[in-house]
Amino acid sequence: MSANPNIASEGGPEPSASQSAARMRTGEDYLRSLNDGRAVFLEGEKVRDVTKHPAFAAAARSAARLFDIAADPAMSDRMTFRSPTSGKRVLRAYQIPRTHVDLRAKRLASEAWSEVSFGMMGRTPDHVSNFFCGFAAVPEVFAAGGKEFGERVVAFHEKLRENHLWATYAIVPPQIDRSKPAHRQSDPTLYAGVVKERDGGIVISGAQQLATAGLYSDYLYLSCIHPLQAGDENHAIGVAIPINAPGLKLYPRRPFALQASSTFDYPLSSRFDESDCFVVLDNVFVPWEEVFIYRNIEICRDQWWKTPSHLYGNLQAQARYATKLRFMIGLAARMNEMTGNASLPPVMVQMGELAALVSIVEKMLEAQETLATVDSNGVLWPSREALYSVMALQSEINPRMVEIIRELTGSAMITLPSSIKDLESPLTAPDIERYMPSSATSARDRIQLMRLAWDFVGSEFGNRHHQYEKFYGGASFIVKQNMLRSYDMKRATGLVDKALALG
Ligand SMILES: Cc1cc2nc3c(=O)[nH]c(=O)nc-3n(C[C@H](O)[C@H](O)[C@H](O)COP(=O)(O)OP(=O)(O)OC[C@H]3O[C@@H](n4cnc5c(N)ncnc54)[C@H](O)[C@@H]3O)c2cc1C
């Protein structure tokens, strides 16, 4: 049994009556907390309140639903577990798995959340939470820089967990000049890093990318997953920063909700644009309690690979992706029904290929769980091979699947009226109702489905997703290298040696 109390499984102390009654964070609590002075900049201006701004309000409400689902007593077993330290119900996203049952339960909780956005929101509160589960499961990695760093990472995981908080991260340096290391940029404070020590903590300046959902979250984890080299020590940090910390600025890319003229015409863009934020830090103070890595290149690297953080975080990402692919094939099936093509043999072959690709992702999730191993702290590590094999191919299978959808639909996503207003105007509605139905449905139902499909694959939102699936887990050349490192090559070359030994 681990000495780390946070690693206890479901057990933990029996809760007192007040602890059991301690309330989960609701969607309303969450929305209220977002109006905290956070510095989000759009079109040259500071956004006053992200919950009211047309670019962000709808996605904030979608995120709030996640908290409502977790707070729903009927979902308690699925979405929460009993805190090992306080005994109160807390998000499963913060559970450090000790058994295969725990790991599966965490995946099922992520699946429930992913279905809210049909897999369109990737950095929901269960993504970076899982990185912190991995960090807190092996605090020894952080303690290599001093005992206090290990203690702080465990305490911060507990803080996030006990307060139902949402962390996002920015762990990639900006693309200013990748031919040079961080410390040899034209100005060594361009990439986020420590610029000085101050009483009680450190001061950080510079930029880092790309905090997806950053503007919707409570905390930013700032660190670096790109290789660093001697001289880059100031950039070899791991710190947590409240999103409204003075000096922390978020620059979201163009929000798609602004172009979404109606929920009918843009059913996904209008609701689930989680945003991707470029992060600028202007002399941001971080107290020592929230500094987990300080000027240490080795620990900065080891946090990802010598803890199960990358495995937990990406298991969640794959659970979300599997939901999205189920939605994708469901969409294709409905479109085929509508066009009357569903039973054409070539269409069935293409649907079979889609089904095969979706199943690979779904079943590899189960493989990550069933092949998970237990470490000396009694903590489960999902199978690296099962995760990285599917992640490594994601940047190829995703475009293939989108291509099949495009092939199956022909012009069906294009030969549509300009907006829902054409269905409402007496000037245009009669033509549309007469000439745009399918054999099985009214014009309105057909147009609604085809707009959904277009928003999924063709709109600006759909195209951002294309890029997201390619890069959210790192460029594919890196993931493939991870896979190669994880693969049992000894067994493979052993077979060849055996064959050679036959003479
Ligand atoms: C939509 C989206 C959301 C994201 N969300 C997050 C997030 O929440 N948090 C976060 O921290 N990051 C996030 N990222 C960033 C993501 O982690 C990076 O995009 C990813 O790590 C790749 O880094 P890069 O974009 O700098 O690409 P680069 O490293 O510049 O690579 C781009 C391409 O250049 C080529 N290339 C570059 N270097 C090499 C090399 N050494 N060998 C061979 N080829 C090379 C490859 O073709 C590669 O695909 C997100 C990215 C996207 C697109």
Side-chain angles (χ1 to χ4, degrees):
M1 189 73 173
S2 165
N4 179 349
N6 283 300
I7 298 181
S9 198
E10 263 298 325
E14 278 303 315
S16 67
S18 66
Q19 282 165 341
S20 301
R23 210 160 66 72
M24 293 292 297
R25 186 184 195 185
T26 64
E28 206 184 316
D29 298 334
Y30 162 71
L31 287 173
R32 216 176 304 117
S33 73
L34 290 182
N35 188 11
D36 60 359
R38 56 192 55 207
V40 177
F41 293 92
L42 188 69
E43 298 181 333
E45 289 181 7
K46 186 172 174 219
V47 174
R48 201 177 283 201
D49 178 355
V50 296
T51 67
K52 304 240 159 62
H53 195 287
F56 308 116
R61 286 197 298 277
S62 297
R65 278 197 61 208
L66 305 176
F67 288 99
D68 280 335
I69 287 170
D72 178 354
M75 294 294 283
S76 180
D77 281 347
R78 177 131 181 202
M79 303 308 299
T80 72
F81 77 117
R82 195 142 52 76
S83 159
T85 54
S86 67
K88 67 180 189 181
R89 298 306 297 191
V90 290
L91 295 172
R92 264 219 199 273
Y94 286 108
Q95 183 171 15
I96 299 175
R98 290 183 64 85
T99 65
H100 287 80
V101 172
D102 290 347
L103 196 56
R104 183 179 145 79
K106 283 170 68 65
R107 195 244 306 166
L108 293 178
S110 285
E111 228 171 74
W113 267 357
S114 70
E115 285 178 4
V116 169
S117 69
F118 312 101
M120 301 295 151
M121 295 177 99
R123 300 312 200 207
T124 42
D126 48 344
H127 183 69
V128 174
S129 64
N130 272 305
F131 277 80
F132 273 95
C133 290
F135 297 158
V138 193
E140 299 86 338
V141 165
F142 295 81
K147 189 167 147 278
E148 65 280 17
F149 290 98
E151 290 166 355
R152 287 178 199 152
V153 87
V154 169
F156 189 70
H157 168 250
E158 186 174 353
K159 174 176 173 170
L160 292 173
R161 184 187 69 208
E162 298 300 308
N163 295 289
H164 320 295
L165 295 175
W166 180 355
T168 48
Y169 59 14
I171 55 174
V172 176
Q175 291 170 311
I176 296 174
D177 182 356
R178 290 282 176 79
S179 71
K180 297 194 184 97
H183 73 282
R184 294 195 46 232
Q185 296 294 310
S186 59
D187 172 342
T189 62
L190 279 178
Y191 290 7
V194 56
V195 289
K196 64 178 172 217
E197 281 187 29
R198 220 180 77 185
D199 273 358
I202 58 176
V203 176
I204 309 228
S205 276
Q208 199 80 331
Q209 62 183 51
L210 179 66
T212 295
L215 70 90
Y216 297 112
S217 68
D218 301 300
Y219 264 93
L220 178 80
Y221 183 55
L222 179 80
S223 191
C224 191
I225 197 166
H226 269 212
L228 294 170
Q229 52 181 266
D232 286 339
E233 284 75 10
N234 287 339
H235 307 273
I237 53 175
V239 303
I241 307 172
I243 293 291
N244 68 346
L248 176 62
K249 299 189 259 184
L250 298 178
Y251 288 93
R253 57 149 168 77
R254 182 126 200 98
F256 306 129
L258 287 179
Q259 273 82 43
S261 44
S262 74
T263 51
F264 182 87
D265 290 308
Y266 292 96
L268 304 173
S269 316
S270 60
R271 298 182 171 106
F272 305 124
D273 181 7
E274 63 186 331
S275 176
D276 304 290
C277 300
F278 189 84
V279 178
V280 171
L281 301 111
D282 181 3
N283 287 300
V284 175
F285 175 68
V286 184
W288 282 118
E289 298 78 63
E290 291 177 357
V291 177
F292 318 122
I293 302 169
Y294 185 56
R295 305 189 79 247
N296 193 314
I297 290 172
E298 207 172 316
I299 300 176
C300 202
R301 183 194 60 221
D302 290 350
Q303 66 178 322
W304 314 113
W305 317 117
K306 294 196 174 169
T307 73
S309 62
H310 203 254
L311 304 177
Y312 294 161
N314 283 298
L315 199 159
Q316 175 275 336
Q318 288 294 310
R320 187 274 317 166
Y321 187 50
T323 296
K324 181 177 165 184
L325 296 189
R326 273 195 288 280
F327 179 73
M328 189 192 289
I329 192 170
L331 202 52
R334 284 274 179 264
M335 288 193 296
N336 293 335
E337 285 165 17
M338 209 166 263
T339 50
N341 290 341
S343 54
L344 294 177
V347 169
M348 290 168 78
V349 170
Q350 283 181 311
M351 288 300 287
E353 185 177 340
L354 270 185
L357 294 168
V358 177
S359 297
I360 287 171
V361 174
E362 286 176 338
K363 300 308 162 199
M364 290 306 272
L365 265 177
E366 288 172 31
Q368 286 164 58
E369 289 163 21
T370 52
L371 301 175
T373 52
V374 182
D375 73 8
S376 57
N377 285 335
V379 168
L380 240 75
W381 291 49
S383 161
R384 274 182 204 281
E385 296 90 324
L387 172 67
Y388 293 139
S389 55
V390 68
M391 267 179 88
L393 296 181
Q394 188 162 330
S395 72
E396 283 142 56
I397 64 176
N398 198 67
R400 175 66 195 143
M401 293 178 77
V402 171
E403 183 59 23
I404 293 175
I405 301 272
R406 283 179 178 268
E407 262 182 53
L408 286 171
T409 50
S411 63
M413 299 184 290
I414 306 294
T415 48
L416 299 172
S418 64
S419 88
I420 188 161
K421 288 184 185 155
D422 295 326
L423 274 160
E424 290 161 353
S425 161
L427 198 62
T428 47
D431 276 347
I432 290 166
E433 277 158 16
R434 177 170 163 74
Y435 294 112
M436 295 197 186
S438 76
S439 62
T441 62
S442 67
R444 188 190 170 89
D445 288 352
R446 176 175 169 270
I447 294 164
Q448 186 182 21
L449 179 73
M450 295 306 167
R451 284 305 308 175
L452 179 61
W454 181 251
D455 211 11
F456 187 85
V457 300
S459 69
E460 209 177 344
F461 174 86
N463 276 299
R464 175 269 179 189
H465 259 267
H466 213 55
Q467 204 68 3
Y468 182 76
E469 303 305 354
K470 250 184 177 321
F471 281 105
Y472 77 77
S476 83
F477 74 91
I478 294 183
V479 188
K480 284 177 181 162
Q481 286 170 23
N482 286 342
M483 181 61 223
L484 183 59
R485 273 193 296 274
S486 308
Y487 187 71
D488 184 358
M489 198 60 83
K490 236 183 179 168
R491 188 171 177 192
T493 51
L495 273 179
V496 177
D497 294 345
K498 245 188 197 163
L500 292 173
L502 295 176

